[in-house]
Amino acid sequence: MTRRAIIKGMAAAPFIGAAGSILSASPAQAATIDAGQFALTARTANSYGEFADLTAGLATKLPTVDATTVIADVNRNATHLTSAPSTSEAFQTGFAWDSDDQEVDYWIPQGVTTSADAYGDGTYPDAGTDRVVLASWYFEDNPDGTPKPKYELDKGLRLTFVNYNNESAPKYRHVLLVEPVKTATDEFSFNPIHKHAGGIMWYGNLLYVVDTYKGLRVFDLNTLFKVPLTEKDVCGLHTDGQYYGYGYQYVLPQSHAYDNAGKYLRYTAIGLDRASTPDSLVVSEYSYSGTVDYDDGTFNGTGKPTTTPKVVRWDLDYTDRKLASLTATEAVTVSQQKIQGVVSRKTKHYLSASDGTTTKGTLRTFTSGGSTASAVCDLVIGCEDLSYHSSGASKWSFSESVIWNVGEYVNKRYVYAVHADGS
């Protein structure tokens, strides 16, 4: 099975209950459970050494830049949207990728976050001026679902920096996400990351990326490397002594990790909560029929919890942008199938729920301790990750708070914001 099939199951078809109704349309039950069963452990190294040492070694070989350089060096034009299919009533703003990225079948958009997550005033860097949207994509080597993969070379994950300073004409650039390593001859190098990247969260200088079976990967946006554009099928140190990133100008190396250490958790999506005290992140789980599958991969952890989909919270440390505690501080179940994204505001949680390749998605909300989740508004077909953008983001403000979403399907790839209250 492809990673897409493993993660999303049979998402192209709605699940039909005994009475013939689509279960995703019915109210979702919610309950509070023991948060202490969910935990992470911090990791600063991989099998090749400390991430910091590996990155420092690469810095002696390659030009180092930060995210502001990439934001200023955009090279593709997006199309400004005045509405998005299925979201006209609640639509605030958005864009569509260029024709190449709309039509490509092997790069699939998944995650979304913005500079309103990174810093409270809505811009990047701290006290800066750039308004930015980030999106993650994974490489699908078998988009046709045939026994033999269509593409032999899996290029892993990429991140897109969208310069949104001019809302009517946004521009963007793709960057390759990599893991720093060493070669067999002890040379510094980097490898592609073969994961799903279903959700991302930007907090200060750090980018958090979910690793479905393992936990969280972290990337420091202060350190990217510039590499030559040639050799589009090479990643890392090549035989010619040069470094390449599959034809991308910049590569972003992993700097940290949080590995799941408690009960199994399917790290499908991630969102930032700036309304909580302290700031916190939440993780949600995908399930096809309302029961989470823990048998389709090798999970880190100590065993299976309840298989009802969950939203789990960890507190964050504002000073270094890392986790303040490795043990979760809240966990709630919600019997909602096909959850693709999550954001929270204290005890209020928002979910994006997809419904296949031809049916619009839904933004739903429920409250910790409440009994049901209710619909807020429609989302596009193939809805994915969510990001909350408060009206209080003073340097990038809307008249009301909005929630960003991204669509994944070919020629339906919209990145857009809807009013958080569905109006």
Side-chain angles (χ1 to χ4, degrees):
M1 297 175 69
T2 66
R3 277 178 292 146
R4 193 179 198 188
I6 290 171
I7 302 298
K8 296 188 177 295
M10 300 168 62
F15 183 80
I16 307 298
S21 62
I22 299 176
L23 295 186
S24 60
S26 61
Q29 302 299 313
T32 301
I33 60 174
D34 175 25
Q37 64 186 304
F38 302 105
L40 290 157
T41 183
R43 177 164 56 87
T44 62
N46 58 20
S47 61
Y48 299 93
E50 292 287 322
F51 288 124
D53 294 340
L54 296 169
T55 301
L58 287 167
T60 66
K61 309 288 185 179
L62 293 166
T64 303
V65 302
D66 61 15
T68 56
T69 300
V70 180
I71 294 164
D73 192 24
V74 287
N75 64 340
R76 291 174 178 250
N77 296 315
T79 300
H80 174 64
L81 297 175
T82 56
S83 66
S86 303
T87 66
S88 57
E89 186 177 39
F91 180 85
Q92 171 69 47
T93 188
F95 62 90
W97 307 110
D98 71 15
S99 58
D100 288 344
D101 288 324
Q102 281 287 350
E103 297 170 6
V104 64
D105 63 349
Y106 47 81
W107 281 116
I108 315 294
Q110 293 290 290
V112 65
T113 186
T114 77
S115 51
D117 280 338
Y119 292 102
D121 68 3
T123 58
Y124 188 84
D126 190 16
T129 59
D130 285 324
R131 297 186 290 272
V132 187
V133 178
L134 298 183
S136 63
W137 311 57
Y138 78 94
F139 193 96
E140 177 54 82
D141 61 356
N142 193 15
D144 298 332
T146 54
K148 183 179 179 180
K150 182 177 180 179
Y151 303 103
E152 294 184 2
L153 182 61
D154 183 342
K155 295 185 178 181
L157 304 178
R158 71 181 184 184
L159 181 70
T160 305
F161 287 81
V162 184
N163 185 322
Y164 217 64
N165 290 326
N166 182 354
E167 184 176 338
S168 64
K171 294 186 176 183
Y172 64 97
R173 178 183 282 277
H174 300 307
V175 166
L176 192 70
L177 295 181
V178 298
E179 182 170 358
V181 299
K182 282 190 173 183
T183 67
T185 56
D186 209 36
E187 297 284 348
F188 294 105
S189 187
F190 47 82
N191 289 337
I193 299 172
H194 298 138
K195 297 294 179 180
H196 192 69
I200 59 176
M201 185 195 81
W202 192 358
Y203 191 52
N205 62 304
L206 299 183
L207 177 75
Y208 287 75
V209 180
V210 291
D211 187 333
T212 308
Y213 308 116
K214 306 296 184 184
L216 303 172
R217 291 177 183 245
V218 184
F219 300 79
D220 187 345
L221 294 179
N222 287 334
T223 305
L224 296 92
F225 295 118
K226 188 174 184 178
V227 296
L229 292 170
T230 53
E231 299 294 344
K232 297 184 185 301
D233 290 336
V234 176
C235 180
L237 182 60
H238 195 34
T239 53
D240 64 0
Q242 297 293 312
Y243 291 84
Y244 301 99
Y246 289 140
Y248 293 102
Q249 185 78 84
Y250 302 99
V251 299
L252 174 58
Q254 183 176 342
S255 62
H256 199 76
Y258 291 102
D259 298 329
N260 194 66
K263 291 291 186 180
Y264 294 169
L265 189 67
R266 194 178 193 95
Y267 290 80
T268 299
I270 186 172
L272 175 66
D273 186 352
R274 281 192 172 277
S276 64
T277 304
D279 294 345
S280 58
L281 66 82
V282 288
V283 170
S284 66
E285 296 185 293
Y286 176 88
S287 71
Y288 173 64
S289 63
T291 300
V292 182
D293 186 358
Y294 297 115
D295 296 316
D296 67 331
T298 303
F299 282 81
N300 281 359
T302 58
K304 299 178 184 178
T306 173
T307 57
T308 304
K310 289 165 286 297
V311 173
V312 182
R313 181 191 303 272
W314 277 268
D315 288 344
L316 291 163
D317 185 338
Y318 182 83
T319 61
D320 63 7
R321 304 292 171 164
K322 296 179 180 179
L323 294 187
S325 172
L326 297 176
T327 302
T329 57
E330 182 187 21
V332 293
T333 62
V334 54
S335 56
Q336 173 67 53
Q337 64 186 52
K338 301 177 185 175
I339 299 171
Q340 303 283 8
V342 63
V343 287
S344 298
R345 301 289 286 177
K346 297 183 179 178
T347 59
K348 187 172 186 178
H349 311 284
Y350 295 87
L351 309 171
S352 57
S354 64
D355 200 6
T357 59
T358 60
T359 306
K360 62 191 176 184
T362 307
L363 180 66
R364 302 179 73 88
T365 186
F366 74 99
T367 302
S368 299
S371 59
T372 61
S374 58
V376 177
C377 65
D378 294 334
L379 298 176
V380 297
I381 295 170
C383 64
E384 286 291 329
D385 198 24
L386 298 176
S387 176
Y388 194 95
H389 186 140
S390 171
S391 60
S394 59
K395 292 185 180 178
W396 186 3
S397 60
F398 299 116
S399 59
E400 58 186 287
S401 297
V402 299
I403 295 176
W404 288 83
N405 181 236
V406 58
E408 71 167 338
Y409 293 129
V410 169
N411 290 321
K412 299 174 184 177
R413 291 173 174 166
Y414 310 105
V415 183
Y416 62 97
V418 295
H419 301 155
D421 64 1
S423 62

